[in-house]
Amino acid sequence: MDSRTVALIRTTFKAVAAEEGGPEQLARSFYAILFTEHPHIRDFFPAALEAQRDRLVKAIGYAVDRLEEPERLLPFLAQLGRDHRKYGVVAEHYAAVGHSLKCALRAHTGTEMWTDEVDQAWDAGLALIAETMIGAAEQETTPPVWTGTVVEHREVLCNLAVVRLQLDQPMAYAAGQYLSVQIPARPRMWRYLSPAIPSNPQGEIEFHIRSVSGGWVSPAMVSRTVVGDQWLLGAPMGGLGVPRNTRRKMLMVGCGTGIAPLRAQLLAMSRRRSNPKVHLFVGVHHPCDLYDLPTLSTLAVGNRWLTVTPVTESDDNPWWYYNPDEPPADLPAIEPRRTGQIGRIVAESGDWSDCDVQLVGSPSTVQTTKFRLMAAGTPGDNIRHDPLF
């Protein structure tokens, strides 16, 4: 795609996104057009569309920002195409979505900005997205969806649970990837979760889930899940992972349940003969949120290449927390706990400029930590994280 086409697409999208309420209005217009002209497509979406609208605009923005980086954009679109098989979408659905999005954009930019050249540019951009996603979906030989039966549900905290499932067939995902999940209590409402263990031929999988206040899905996952529930799981996505035989030192920063994909990678690495040095920072709000520190301690004891530093924003636990069986604070091979904002503490704790860096957590935490590391001298190309939406 030439630079002129990219510039036209980017300019029109940014013009809409920059308006007050523009992204929300764009998403509302898109879905109104899509469901009016193609009412049968409504069945693919949840009843409540608030989260879906936000995710749509962020996904478009992510693609628009990377139109000149095919080495990053095309693998992302291919993964998205493989994941969308779970909906049963076909080529005609992509055409309907592309047409509806272009109509919504044209309505919000106005006739003066939306020229014939802009229209052709968006045709080219949307064709690239659709062709990449459709091609990847058609070439994929794995199932469009897996069924997982809950075999254990353990509440670690009142707002955090560990859920283990037995899949109907093994899933070959790379440690560090994530996948979409649907639970029976929230049909058609898919959420992204990262497995906390590497894939295995037995089809066992584990998720660490925190209940988000006001959320639709995560509270049900934490409080309403019971053994025997059947979850649906989409195809794995994401690019985090540690290449074999690498000698480059690593910095890993995981916040909250964002520790899960890093934990899975460390477990996978522990099975290898040699590994680079890894420094893992675990960031949480309260000391009680360091729920998986005993596992990390066991890993660090058995693998001298691993250093683990816990970081809490507060020295005190919340008023509601009480656990008579709480593990000791001085676990073997765990660095002393530090207090403060995770990004600041990581950036001040050493020179990470020669490290491969992985960041996992909320979008705001990832962005803040990334900016602090770059300000301290870590090249942006060394820092990896999944798309922030």
Side-chain angles (χ1 to χ4, degrees):
M1 188 175 296
D2 62 77
S3 58
R4 173 67 177 174
T5 300
V6 171
L8 290 171
I9 293 173
R10 194 168 288 163
T11 299
T12 48
F13 180 74
K14 298 295 184 185
V16 175
E19 295 179 3
E20 184 176 356
E24 181 180 357
Q25 291 302 317
L26 173 65
R28 287 182 180 276
S29 296
F30 162 73
Y31 283 115
I33 295 168
L34 180 65
F35 296 155
T36 299
E37 298 187 2
H38 308 275
H40 63 285
I41 292 181
R42 184 65 180 87
D43 292 338
F44 292 127
F45 294 87
L49 286 172
E50 288 82 0
Q52 191 70 30
R53 293 192 193 103
D54 183 59
R55 191 176 295 119
L56 167 74
V57 174
K58 288 181 178 178
I60 297 171
Y62 182 87
V64 166
D65 286 341
R66 287 158 182 81
L67 286 172
E68 293 175 302
E69 303 175 66
E71 70 283 354
R72 297 178 64 186
L73 177 60
L74 297 184
F76 167 74
L77 293 176
Q79 288 185 339
L80 210 56
R82 289 189 287 269
D83 178 60
H84 273 57
R85 293 177 302 142
K86 66 178 183 257
Y87 299 115
V89 298
V90 295
E92 67 180 64
H93 298 138
Y94 285 97
V97 167
H99 171 73
S100 300
L101 178 59
K102 204 171 71 165
C103 288
L105 283 162
R106 184 169 54 231
H108 282 272
T109 55
T111 55
E112 289 187 7
M113 178 175 285
W114 196 271
T115 63
D116 289 343
E117 191 179 13
V118 169
D119 192 88
Q120 293 169 8
W122 273 98
D123 280 342
L126 291 169
L128 172 67
I129 293 172
E131 289 170 4
T132 304
M133 293 178 66
I134 293 170
E138 290 178 344
Q139 294 173 13
E140 186 59 39
T141 58
T142 62
V145 67
W146 283 257
T147 299
T149 302
V150 176
V151 294
E152 183 180 354
H153 173 267
R154 176 166 58 91
E155 288 198 22
V156 180
L157 299 168
C158 67
N159 63 347
L160 193 151
V162 172
V163 180
R164 297 189 174 101
L165 301 100
Q166 177 65 54
L167 301 180
D168 58 343
Q169 55 187 306
M171 177 190 291
Y173 59 86
Q177 287 192 298
Y178 61 94
L179 44 92
S180 53
V181 176
Q182 177 186 273
I183 62 174
R186 296 290 185 267
R188 293 182 295 175
M189 300 184 73
W190 295 82
R191 290 297 180 269
Y192 291 125
L193 297 176
S194 295
I197 60 173
S199 65
N200 59 71
Q202 292 76 38
E204 301 157 338
I205 197 166
E206 174 180 313
F207 297 113
H208 296 186
I209 307 162
R210 183 178 294 277
S211 174
V212 177
S213 179
W216 282 89
V217 179
S218 60
M221 288 178 165
V222 171
S223 62
R224 296 181 60 178
T225 295
V226 296
V227 172
D229 279 353
Q230 289 197 329
W231 292 12
L232 299 180
L233 296 81
M237 298 184 288
L240 295 183
V242 181
R244 287 185 176 273
N245 302 320
T246 181
R247 295 185 177 181
R248 191 174 184 181
K249 293 186 295 183
M250 294 202 62
L251 167 66
M252 292 181 168
V253 182
C255 299
T257 52
I259 190 63
L262 304 181
R263 177 190 197 266
Q265 293 181 64
L266 295 173
L267 287 168
M269 292 170 68
S270 68
R271 301 170 183 172
R272 303 176 185 174
R273 291 186 177 182
S274 63
N275 286 293
K277 289 189 176 296
V278 178
H279 197 138
L280 169 68
F281 285 83
V282 184
V284 296
H285 291 291
H286 306 285
C288 66
D289 294 324
L290 295 166
Y291 65 96
D292 207 39
L293 215 53
T295 300
L296 298 176
S297 171
T298 301
L299 271 172
V301 167
N303 299 279
R304 298 181 62 181
W305 44 263
L306 175 62
T307 301
V308 180
T309 301
V311 179
T312 62
E313 293 185 1
S314 171
D315 285 325
D316 301 318
N317 282 321
W319 62 269
W320 47 259
Y321 177 75
Y322 173 71
N323 181 8
D325 301 319
E326 187 172 13
D330 54 343
L331 289 166
I334 299 294
E335 296 284 298
R337 180 174 61 84
R338 302 184 61 180
T339 305
Q341 199 277 329
I342 182 71
R344 177 183 61 79
I345 287 179
V346 171
E348 294 175 353
S349 295
D351 178 9
W352 312 109
S353 59
D354 61 343
C355 291
D356 180 9
V357 182
Q358 292 190 31
L359 308 178
V360 185
S362 68
S364 60
T365 301
V366 168
Q367 289 284 36
T368 300
T369 304
K370 182 177 181 178
F371 291 151
R372 285 189 177 274
L373 286 170
M374 292 174 65
T378 302
D381 289 342
N382 291 5
I383 302 174
R384 294 188 290 150
H385 56 79
D386 286 319
L388 301 176
F389 56 84

